[in-house]
Amino acid sequence: MPITESGKDWQKRNRGKAAQYVAKYAQSRTKVSFYLEDWITKEIAQVKAPEQTYGNWIRLHIEEWARTRQSTDVAPENK
């Protein structure tokens, strides 16, 4: 989701709090960067919302895939 002007202003006024939030958020996550070929971004652009970033679209789909995989995997002791 794009940051609003008021959100940018808040971050400028509260640099310390904003930095703490970013650090806490990043603490439990892994940052990943990669490049997509043009044909892939064209395919994604046809189905994602115009205001949605490619990274956010991909993250949401990967999270959904992981949730589905978790729900279909049965722990060995539960078989």
Side-chain angles (χ1 to χ4, degrees), residues 24-54:
K24 186 175 180 180
Y25 181 85
Q27 189 175 29
S28 64
R29 291 164 174 82
T30 301
K31 184 175 182 175
V32 178
S33 297
F34 55 90
Y35 295 95
L36 297 173
E37 293 184 23
D38 287 340
W39 71 271
I40 297 172
T41 56
K42 288 176 184 172
E43 291 295 320
I44 294 172
Q46 292 178 18
V47 294
K48 74 173 187 66
E51 67 277 359
Q52 188 178 28
T53 64
Y54 288 100

Side-chain angles (χ1 to χ4, degrees), residues 3-19 21-22:
I3 189 166
T4 62
E5 287 300 318
S6 63
K8 290 178 186 177
D9 291 341
W10 184 91
Q11 287 181 343
K12 287 178 184 175
R13 288 190 316 272
N14 299 284
R15 288 193 190 275
K17 288 181 182 178
Y21 173 80
V22 170

Side-chain angles (χ1 to χ4, degrees), residues 50-70:
E51 67 277 359
Q52 188 178 28
T53 64
Y54 288 100
N56 186 45
W57 187 89
I58 292 167
R59 181 185 55 80
L60 292 173
H61 281 76
I62 290 172
E63 287 175 355
E64 182 60 32
W65 167 81
R67 273 190 226 93
T68 302
R69 182 172 166 91
Q70 275 184 337

